[in-house]
Amino acid sequence: MTGFYSEHSKVWLSVDCIIFGFDESQLKVLIGRRQMDPGRGEWSLYGGFVRSDESVDDAAHRVLFELTGMRTLYMRQVGAFGSVDRDPGERVVSVAYYVFINVADYDDRLRKEYALEWVNLSDMPRLYSDHNQMVQEALKKMRLKMTTEPVAFRLLPPLFTLTQLQKLYEAVKGEELDKRNFRKRVKEMEFIEKTELIDKTGSKRGASLYRFNKRLYDEGKHFKL
Amino acid sequence: MTGFYSEHSKVWLSVDCIIFGFDESQLKVLIGRRQMDPGRGEWSLYGGFVRSDESVDDAAHRVLFELTGMRTLYMRQVGAFGSVDRDPGERVVSVAYYVFINVADYDDRLRKEYALEWVNLSDMPRLYSDHNQMVQEALKKMRLKMTTEPVAFRLLPPLFTLTQLQKLYEAVKGEELDKRNFRKRVKEMEFIEKTELIDKTGSKRGASLYRFNKRLYDEGKHFKL
DNA sequence: TCAAAAGTGTTAGATTTACACCCATGA
DNA sequence: TCATGGGTGTAAATCTAACACTTTTGA
């Protein structure tokens, strides 16, 4: 091959996914035991190599589709991790992505098939290579996004109660929130629509179910939580 | 070589730098004419390939040192740009970094030697490959950083007037700011120290020079502008 | 009937914004 | 002496934070 850049060296490029889920009141990350050498058996994020015929973003989508069977996940880049020795085997640069999934949509058989576990942030074990650092940076970025753009709904079912939404924000911010102030702010955002439906699973009285109306949001509403 | 990952393909990895400078009242970016094929002669960010014995961050530092002779620039990652066809020649993934330099510290002979130009954001030409997109994303990130952390001082001389600082924030935010409110907020941040020195170049009366005191800042002060 | 979660407003304090004049100096 | 940029305070409006009781219903 007589390419333009042949005097320069190439690297392996991988993607690693920080998969966030929310369950009841805890923010969780999906991790598994590494299936290949080096590092076989260590706790690790799920990842894969970027192929020559796909963009880096596409590689992350492909890897996530393999894992979850889901195609339209909310996914954002955390950044490139490129220390020389970050991978004990070879020179591999990795681009980390964080992903939001609604845990209820995720087929638990797939989780078991890949031997993955949902772990609370507070219980995060030591992970392979620099994956703990990736998780920390992903957290920083997702916290900012969550308070700044209407993406929380990707971690919840299509219909959710305000208590669920509040619990999610409490988990993300790591602090308790005032119920009345929280609801006041939600009420100001018309794109968080109250439906006629009632959820009776969480209480005897039942709580109204809400949904996110993207069309209304796109009409130029402001988000802040 | 009997490596672990040999069945996967490798890519070229480069870094590209969005070099921000500030001059009087304009935020500028340093760009040049591309010196190699493909794309020779097109306006382009300055960049280089990542070597096998250096981290991606180190590659960016090296490239910047080549260009500016400066070693301790403020530099942050924008992200990885990885479309398959982003480079018309070969598969190259690039990690973009934005950088702040104090224009006065930058040897203008070096600028000329590399045939680089400071261009205002509003006059940005069409750049090689996806470099315009890199600039846009860098801007978004630097704006957030500037209003959130005390990094403005990297774009200014060690001693600066409040008018200079305000002009810089006006350029970054793209709006005029109220002088009294701006100064009130600066005064609340003790780590922006007034010195005894007076700058007479900008006015007849002369303006007090200020400096950023990192030690004071690290003692847990809050920044917001 | 009572336990458990849902739902609802007001007020004080803090923050933000708008706004106009005097000062010091060199030309 | 005057043109130029440097420097200063107050008041109204808005936003934020703290706070407690009533409702509904299944067990």
Side-chain angles (χ1 to χ4, degrees), chain A residues 1 3-6 8-13 34 36-38 49-56 77 79-80 82-84 87 89-93 95 128 141 144, chain B residues 1 3-6 8-13 34 36-38 49-56 77 79-80 82-84 87 89-93 95 128 141 144:
Chain A
M1 205 209 270
F4 290 110
Y5 308 130
S6 41
H8 301 288
S9 59
K10 296 171 105 173
V11 300
W12 277 290
L13 192 65
R34 191 168 153 93
M36 62 170 124
D37 285 311
F49 285 90
V50 177
R51 297 179 182 163
S52 58
D53 61 346
E54 66 186 357
S55 71
V56 180
Q77 200 184 108
S83 302
V84 174
D87 190 285
E90 303 276 4
R91 179 73 199 270
V92 182
V93 171
V95 180
Y128 176 73
K141 300 216 166 176
L144 183 63
Chain B
M1 204 210 272
F4 289 108
Y5 308 130
S6 41
H8 300 289
S9 58
K10 296 172 107 173
V11 301
W12 277 289
L13 192 65
R34 190 168 155 92
M36 62 170 124
D37 286 311
F49 284 91
V50 177
R51 297 180 182 162
S52 58
D53 61 346
E54 66 185 356
S55 71
V56 180
Q77 200 184 108
S83 301
V84 174
D87 190 287
E90 303 277 2
R91 179 74 199 271
V92 182
V93 170
V95 180
Y128 175 74
K141 299 215 167 176
L144 184 64

Side-chain angles (χ1 to χ4, degrees), chain A residues 178 180-181 184 200 204-205 224:
Chain A
D178 180 274
R180 282 182 282 190
N181 292 337
K184 200 187 310 166
K200 305 275 278 186
K204 294 161 180 175
R205 178 178 173 178
K224 178 77 192 297

Side-chain angles (χ1 to χ4, degrees), chain A residues 4-192:
Chain A
F4 290 110
Y5 308 130
S6 41
E7 79 268 28
H8 301 288
S9 59
K10 296 171 105 173
V11 300
W12 277 290
L13 192 65
S14 65
V15 294
D16 285 300
C17 301
I18 298 95
I19 301 173
F20 287 111
F22 177 71
D23 181 25
E24 304 284 317
S25 65
Q26 293 279 331
L27 197 58
K28 291 161 187 270
V29 178
L30 195 63
I31 58 174
R33 296 287 184 173
R34 191 168 153 93
Q35 310 277 340
M36 62 170 124
D37 285 311
R40 188 183 296 269
E42 290 180 44
W43 284 112
S44 165
L45 296 172
Y46 194 77
F49 285 90
V50 177
R51 297 179 182 163
S52 58
D53 61 346
E54 66 186 357
S55 71
V56 180
D57 288 359
D58 286 347
H61 276 116
R62 172 178 53 78
V63 158
L64 283 163
F65 179 68
E66 282 166 28
L67 190 71
T68 64
M70 293 186 248
R71 283 233 184 256
T72 56
L73 299 169
Y74 183 81
M75 197 186 83
R76 287 294 180 274
Q77 200 184 108
V78 177
F81 290 74
S83 302
V84 174
D85 297 323
R86 56 175 295 283
D87 190 285
E90 303 276 4
R91 179 73 199 270
V92 182
V93 171
S94 186
V95 180
Y97 288 83
Y98 70 83
V99 184
F100 289 167
I101 80 175
N102 167 19
V103 174
D105 284 349
Y106 175 46
D107 184 344
D108 214 53
R109 285 173 314 185
L110 270 173
R111 184 183 66 72
K112 286 179 179 142
E113 190 182 317
Y114 285 95
L116 300 176
E117 300 286 343
W118 286 111
V119 308
N120 292 342
L121 282 169
S122 48
D123 305 333
M124 187 65 60
R126 173 84 202 275
L127 303 176
Y128 176 73
S129 181
D130 51 5
H131 289 192
N132 288 97
Q133 192 192 335
M134 290 178 178
V135 171
Q136 288 312 309
E137 297 211 12
L139 255 178
K140 229 190 287 176
K141 300 216 166 176
M142 79 83 89
R143 284 190 170 123
L144 183 63
K145 265 284 187 256
M146 286 280 293
T147 53
T148 264
E149 278 174 65
V151 294
F153 316 107
R154 301 306 203 101
L155 286 163
L156 294 171
L159 295 167
F160 51 87
T161 68
L162 293 188
T163 301
Q164 281 177 291
L165 188 65
Q166 184 177 340
K167 285 254 158 58
L168 171 53
Y169 273 92
E170 288 176 338
V172 167
K173 297 191 165 197
E175 64 187 12
E176 300 215 325
L177 299 175
D178 180 274
K179 182 162 58 157
R180 282 182 282 190
N181 292 337
F182 183 82
R183 285 168 183 242
K184 200 187 310 166
R185 269 174 299 164
V186 169
K187 205 163 289 173
E188 281 161 9
M189 298 186 261
E190 301 95 333
F191 54 85
I192 302 181

Side-chain angles (χ1 to χ4, degrees), chain B residues 3-59:
Chain B
F4 289 108
Y5 308 130
S6 41
E7 79 268 29
H8 300 289
S9 58
K10 296 172 107 173
V11 301
W12 277 289
L13 192 65
S14 64
V15 294
D16 285 301
C17 302
I18 299 95
I19 302 173
F20 287 111
F22 177 70
D23 181 26
E24 304 284 317
S25 65
Q26 293 279 329
L27 197 58
K28 292 163 187 267
V29 178
L30 195 64
I31 58 174
R33 296 288 185 173
R34 190 168 155 92
Q35 310 277 340
M36 62 170 124
D37 286 311
R40 188 184 296 270
E42 290 180 43
W43 284 111
S44 165
L45 296 173
Y46 194 77
F49 284 91
V50 177
R51 297 180 182 162
S52 58
D53 61 346
E54 66 185 356
S55 71
V56 180
D57 288 0
D58 286 347

